[in-house]
Amino acid sequence: MTAQEIINTIKTQRKPEQVIIKWWRKEEDFIDFDLVDRFVKTAKPDETIDGFDLIGMNDVWAELERFCGDRIAKTQKGGEELVEWLPPDKESVEDRQYMPYEPQTLLDILDVETGGDYVD
């Protein structure tokens, strides 16, 4: 299928909680993730894509928990939901990072945790 066909499907079938697209090509052995809105804006219409899933933040969070274990948690500060994360190259509790619990944050952490090569 083409990216344009996927975009057409997104426009007609996307649910509000589906903010992330997980997509792949046969010739590559890894899966790409992107924000749905950014994918729609930047995908080349004639680009061949072999499959995709529209997913929500809970799906990505479950993957992060699998990769990170106790190095990641959700927390609250000042009424804002945050991600508390200790990057894989850090050891000290003082190295924990606090970021907004939002789709881009989850994708950024997933990218670091997988080295940009997520394999399902």
Side-chain angles (χ1 to χ4, degrees):
M1 75 185 74
T2 65
Q4 186 60 55
E5 291 170 316
I6 292 172
I7 291 167
N8 292 343
T9 300
I10 289 169
K11 288 179 179 179
T12 60
Q13 297 179 14
R14 177 182 177 194
K15 297 175 184 162
E17 69 274 8
Q18 294 173 319
V19 293
I20 296 167
I21 184 168
K22 174 180 175 181
W23 60 280
W24 57 91
R25 293 186 198 105
K26 286 182 184 174
E27 71 271 1
E28 297 177 12
D29 62 350
F30 62 91
I31 296 171
D32 286 317
F33 291 84
D34 202 352
L35 300 174
V36 172
D37 293 338
R38 184 169 51 210
F39 177 88
V40 168
K41 289 178 187 174
T42 62
K44 297 175 185 150
D46 60 345
E47 181 176 16
T48 300
I49 296 174
D50 293 303
F52 76 101
D53 289 318
L54 297 176
I55 60 177
M57 289 178 58
N58 290 338
D59 300 306
V60 178
W61 182 256
E63 284 300 297
L64 289 175
E65 288 182 313
R66 184 172 70 90
F67 281 110
C68 301
D70 63 356
R71 292 185 298 107
I72 197 163
K74 291 182 196 174
T75 188
Q76 293 237 344
K77 186 175 184 178
E80 181 183 7
E81 191 167 25
L82 301 173
V83 175
E84 178 182 343
W85 175 56
L86 181 64
D89 61 338
K90 305 291 184 188
E91 296 178 12
S92 173
V93 175
E94 290 82 32
D95 292 323
R96 287 190 175 271
Q97 297 180 13
Y98 294 86
M99 299 163 282
Y101 180 75
E102 56 188 35
Q104 186 61 58
T105 297
L106 301 185
L107 292 180
D108 291 344
I109 294 171
L110 185 63
D111 195 42
V112 170
E113 289 290 333
T114 63
D117 292 328
Y118 178 90
V119 179
D120 205 7

